[in-house]
Amino acid sequence: MKPRHAALAVLVATIWGVNFVVIKVGLRDFPPILFSALRFLAAAVPALWFVGRPRVAWKWIVAVALALGVAKFGLLFVGMAAGMPAGLSSLVLQSQVFFTVLLAAVLLRERPSAVQVVGMGVAAVGIVVIGADYGAGSPLGAFLLVVTAALAWGLANVATRRAQAPDPLNFIVWVSAVAFPPLLVLSLVFEGPAADLAALRGLDWSNVGAILFIAWVSTLLGFGLWNSLLHTYEAAVVVPFALLVPVAGMLSGWLLLDEAVTPVRLGAGALVVLGMAATTIRRRRVPRAEREPAAVAVP
């Protein structure tokens, strides 16, 4: 990967790490599914009027909207509202790296190199150590919701890679627009109109700021850059950079939410960085024409 692209990947990881703190703050005043719906509404409007019509098939927009917008973020927000702390959520969600590489190997025939496998193994050790150091204080159901959100993110990464969107910003704006209606319906069904209206009546500048940060900085900027990298490189090269997210998440949780950062976590974070670096070692690129076709298309 080129140095400037690696720097962009690190920037996205940092934004997404801080984003967990912003989510935790927003969840103090919003039902989780409504909060997720509002972030996608803010990401889609007014951007829809500037990006033009979709430039990929609708099936890919719908697939990524359901996997990323509805499943990943819906489950993540509900899990965090149920008790998962920001730092631990940022860590557990990065199991998406392994889901993505596995799904890319099965569905896209993208085989990781031996060095990449070893690097992911080293990073996995760091993640396990950090998780053990946090302890089992969070509810099991909340933990499982975030793990399922990671699986959904893996599916979204593979669908994004398969879509090959020529304009990443256009793609994520339309994904946001499609994700909003089902999230709103789910909120009305499971959280209730009364709770939703009460949250909307209580909007203040801190709430609006949280929504706009998640919508414009994390979603539009973050996923726009991320999708651009997935368009340029194989999933196994790009996705491991997300292993830096829990490092940024733990540090921002420590600075802004007083979540503990122990020497063990710092050492384990160094393992994550080392493993991520190993996964970016260049390997011989196989021309697309020489690759085997994908066995299964993501629906």
Side-chain angles (χ1 to χ4, degrees):
M1 181 179 287
K2 295 180 179 179
R4 65 188 179 91
H5 289 155
L8 288 176
V10 172
L11 173 63
V12 173
T14 302
I15 290 171
W16 286 346
V18 174
N19 193 54
F20 284 89
V21 172
V22 180
I23 292 171
K24 201 69 175 177
V25 171
L27 287 173
R28 295 171 181 171
D29 300 309
F30 285 102
I33 303 177
L34 175 66
F35 190 30
S36 187
L38 291 175
R39 66 86 59 84
F40 284 111
L41 176 64
V45 179
L48 279 177
W49 279 265
F50 298 97
V51 299
R53 294 182 177 183
R55 300 185 183 180
V56 298
W58 274 104
K59 66 179 180 179
W60 298 120
I61 293 174
V62 172
V64 176
L66 293 177
L68 181 72
V70 178
K72 179 213 167 179
F73 282 105
L75 292 168
L76 172 65
F77 280 34
V78 172
M80 291 182 69
M84 283 285 284
L88 183 56
S89 296
S90 71
L91 167 69
V92 173
L93 195 64
Q94 297 324 305
S95 58
Q96 63 90 11
V97 171
F98 312 106
F99 289 128
T100 301
V101 173
L102 176 62
L103 289 168
V106 173
L107 302 178
L108 302 181
R109 302 286 181 88
E110 292 183 359
R111 299 292 190 264
S113 67
V115 173
Q116 289 173 321
V117 172
V118 171
M120 286 189 293
V122 172
V125 171
I127 287 178
V128 170
V129 170
I130 294 171
D133 193 49
Y134 266 108
S138 297
L140 178 60
F143 174 83
L144 293 177
L145 284 170
V146 178
V147 172
T148 308
L151 173 60
W153 192 3
L155 285 170
N157 281 329
V158 173
T160 298
R161 174 70 177 162
R162 192 75 171 86
Q164 289 288 290
D167 185 340
L169 180 60
N170 174 284
F171 184 62
I172 195 60
V173 167
W174 280 102
V175 164
S176 299
V178 173
F180 169 69
L183 282 168
L184 180 60
V185 170
L186 288 172
S187 178
L188 291 172
V189 171
F190 291 103
E191 295 167 342
D196 288 353
L197 288 173
L200 292 173
R201 290 193 187 103
L203 273 175
D204 58 27
W205 285 111
S206 65
N207 301 145
V208 173
I211 292 171
L212 293 182
F213 179 90
I214 297 171
W216 292 353
V217 180
S218 177
T219 302
L220 294 183
L221 178 62
F223 277 100
L225 292 173
W226 188 254
N227 291 346
S228 177
L229 293 170
L230 283 172
H231 178 71
T232 305
Y233 299 96
E234 291 184 354
V237 175
V238 178
V239 172
F241 276 95
L243 292 168
L244 291 173
V245 173
V247 178
M250 287 187 298
L251 289 176
S252 59
W254 170 60
L255 290 171
L256 302 175
L257 297 179
D258 293 325
E259 294 181 355
V261 176
T262 66
V264 172
R265 295 174 196 173
L266 291 176
L271 284 179
V272 173
V273 174
L274 178 63
M276 184 279 302
T279 65
T280 65
I281 294 176
R282 183 183 297 274
R283 63 176 178 172
R284 187 182 73 86
R285 292 285 302 239
V286 178
R288 183 170 297 277
E290 295 179 11
R291 295 180 193 165
E292 294 179 304
V296 181
V298 178

